[in-house]
Amino acid sequence: ICDVDREVAEKAKAQFGGQADLYEDYREMLARPDIDVVMIGTPDHWHTAMTIDACRAGKDVYCEKPLTLTIDEGQHLVRAVEETQRVVQ
């Protein structure tokens, strides 16, 4: 579980049985080889960058909408998905 607010992360951890590792920097979580897929539920302006970073880290992605805020972001995202062959929904 990754959240910049430690209290929010702790609550989520408790809801999932207290077994999850906690991260404040999503890039540390993406570096884990045992994670195959991530769900992105962040403020909208983070969606594109986090999705691209996750794809480049070899993770499939489920992202809440909106996936991007601009056409340019969408083009960058499409290129990253094509290059990495990851599943993004």
Side-chain angles (χ1 to χ4, degrees):
I1 297 172
C2 182
D3 200 299
V4 295
D5 185 329
R6 189 69 174 194
E7 286 185 40
V8 171
E10 291 286 350
K11 286 179 185 177
K13 180 178 179 175
Q15 290 176 336
F16 287 99
Q19 299 296 319
D21 294 328
L22 300 181
Y23 298 90
E24 292 178 10
D25 185 333
Y26 75 96
R27 294 166 292 201
E28 292 176 18
M29 185 180 65
L30 292 179
R32 287 183 51 164
D34 60 329
I35 293 176
D36 299 318
V37 62
V38 296
M39 186 181 93
I40 298 173
T42 60
D44 296 351
H45 64 278
W46 279 103
H47 291 180
T48 303
M50 288 182 167
T51 300
I52 290 171
D53 288 347
C55 288
R56 290 190 175 141
K59 315 303 182 204
D60 294 326
V61 180
Y62 183 85
C63 184
E64 69 179 359
K65 62 183 183 180
L67 188 56
T68 68
L69 296 177
T70 67
I71 292 171
D72 188 53
E73 284 181 348
Q75 292 169 336
H76 287 292
L77 182 59
V78 167
R79 278 194 296 276
V81 171
E82 289 173 347
E83 290 170 5
T84 62
Q85 296 295 296
R86 302 317 311 165
V87 175
V88 175
Q89 182 172 346

